[in-house]
Amino acid sequence: HAKRNGTVFELYSGPAESESPRYLTLISELHTAIVENQFVLHYQPRVDIGTGRISGVEALVRWRYPEQGLMPPAEFIAIAEQTGLIDPLTHLVLEAAVQQCRAWSDQGFDMPVAVNISVNSFHDPDFLTRIDTLLATWKLNPALLQLEITETTLMKEPAVVRNLINRLKERGIVVAIDDFGTGYSSLSYVASLPIHTLKIDRSFVIRMLESPRTRSVVAATIFLAHSLGIKTVAEGVDVGEQVEALHEMGCTEIQGYYFSRPVEAEQLRRWAETFSLE
Ligand code: C2E
Ligand code: CA
Ligand code: CA
Ligand code: CA
């Protein structure tokens, strides 16, 4: 058992358990959860410390698990990916994110929303059509929708990914490379893709303060990305010292508990209204 947010979830802990009753129950519960849409999105802001303003939010899914509170994505995204449930789940997340973005826009709060996309969705032949339909239905400016794909995804399917990123860019949808530094892609490969942003993985942000080598890697990544016209976001920033170090290195966009944890939509908007860097 693992304690999360004061609730107890039995953890599924790997392929060895893939035939276990718990795993099979979870799959069937996940089916129901998708049919009934038992999911909620939380939003975490990204702050541009250069301008002192919020530059966007990331939508992070949680499962309103019956009677036990919110289950974090680490405990069900992998299962959804293994069972083909990720496509309908991604669609629910995209729909909720687009709807929320529209609602904020109507309130005069124009906030780009980033959604995490699994590698599986790149094989979903309906992926682009679904996005087009969503944007048209909600009359949303495509520039307000951002998609995050992990560096690992990028390396798995270079040709497919390149094609999809191009098609998204044609529509004005911005793509960010997530968890950058955890895979083995080179920056020159990444730079050959029409991507907008690199998100520097939290593991680097954590090690950066103690390890001069890590600090050099982060500084060089930021410098190279910027000279290639790619923006950088540091993720998982939770102390002021990290903010200062990143600012010195030229990385202005910061996401992490230092500014805010992921929170519900209404709370995010209130936070944004009162936010000030000073
Ligand atoms: P990620 O995309 O790297 O998202 C960042 C994760 O780091 C979030 O965890 C966020 O709450 C956490 N985080 C942010 N700042 C800090 C910090 O300062 N300190 C610490 N310790 N953690 C911080 P979360 O919400 O539990 O999401 C975990 C992962 O689940 C995400 O990692 C993403 O890979 C995946 N995920 C979340 N929502 C979705 C979704 O809708 N679709 C897909 N395919 N994956 C999702
Ligand atoms: Ca992400
Ligand atoms: Ca990330
Ligand atoms: Ca991560």
Side-chain angles (χ1 to χ4, degrees):
H1 288 77
K3 266 197 182 310
R4 297 286 160 93
N5 306 323
T7 60
V8 179
F9 292 107
E10 270 183 69
L11 278 187
Y12 155 67
S13 54
E17 278 183 44
S18 64
E19 301 299 315
S20 75
R22 177 61 191 152
Y23 182 74
L24 297 175
T25 309
L26 257 185
I27 295 173
S28 116
E29 286 171 340
L30 202 50
H31 259 284
T32 311
I34 287 166
V35 173
E36 295 181 356
N37 195 357
Q38 298 173 353
F39 302 95
V40 62
L41 297 186
H42 282 185
Y43 299 88
Q44 187 178 37
R46 218 165 49 232
V47 173
D48 186 322
I49 51 172
T51 63
R53 305 176 58 159
I54 303 184
S55 43
V57 297
E58 178 174 5
L60 295 153
V61 70
R62 279 94 181 83
W63 179 359
R64 260 194 249 274
Y65 195 74
E67 288 154 31
Q68 290 192 54
L70 297 182
M71 189 192 280
E75 282 159 49
F76 61 88
I77 291 290
I79 299 174
E81 286 174 344
Q82 288 154 15
T83 53
L85 290 171
I86 193 68
D87 285 347
L89 177 59
T90 299
H91 188 62
L92 285 179
V93 170
L94 274 168
E95 189 165 37
V98 164
Q99 229 172 305
Q100 185 59 59
C101 192
R102 172 80 260 162
W104 277 334
S105 206
D106 291 342
Q107 296 164 18
F109 181 61
D110 274 315
M111 197 41 58
V113 177
V115 173
N116 293 283
I117 304 294
S118 293
V119 62
N120 310 53
S121 301
F122 285 70
H123 297 288
D124 178 357
D126 300 329
F127 184 67
L128 280 170
T129 319
R130 284 167 170 231
I131 287 191
D132 289 339
T133 307
L134 272 181
L135 292 174
T137 305
W138 296 94
K139 298 191 173 60
L140 194 78
N141 175 0
L144 289 177
L145 180 64
Q146 311 186 332
L147 302 182
E148 298 191 0
I149 60 176
T150 63
E151 187 194 4
T152 325
T153 301
L154 207 66
M155 296 316 286
K156 268 187 199 155
E157 311 279 353
V160 180
V161 170
R162 179 184 298 271
N163 179 45
L164 200 78
I165 295 178
N166 276 316
R167 311 271 304 270
L168 290 165
K169 197 188 177 186
E170 285 163 16
R171 290 161 165 77
I173 299 169
V174 155
V175 173
I177 303 307
D178 206 354
D179 300 347
F180 188 74
T182 58
Y184 296 94
S185 63
S186 68
L187 202 56
S188 72
Y189 169 70
V190 168
S192 75
L193 298 167
I195 61 149
H196 183 266
T197 300
L198 274 189
K199 298 190 79 174
I200 299 165
D201 192 64
R202 172 164 180 264
S203 56
F204 290 90
V205 173
I206 292 171
R207 278 182 283 144
M208 200 179 63
L209 294 180
E210 297 94 63
S211 156
R213 290 183 72 88
T214 304
R215 199 187 162 103
S216 298
V217 170
V218 173
T221 304
I222 292 166
F223 179 81
L224 267 168
H226 289 179
S227 61
L228 294 163
I230 298 169
K231 286 178 166 266
T232 52
V233 176
E235 59 177 18
V237 174
D238 49 19
V239 296
E241 256 183 296
Q242 292 165 336
V243 177
E244 280 160 36
L246 288 158
H247 190 43
E248 244 169 59
M249 295 179 207
C251 183
T252 56
E253 286 197 73
I254 308 275
Q255 183 179 340
Y257 294 175
Y258 179 74
F259 288 114
S260 170
R261 289 183 171 251
V263 292
E264 282 178 22
E266 181 52 26
Q267 206 180 331
L268 187 279
R269 195 177 57 91
R270 282 200 307 270
W271 183 89
E273 276 170 0
T274 54
F275 173 74
S276 147
L277 257 188
E278 284 86 55

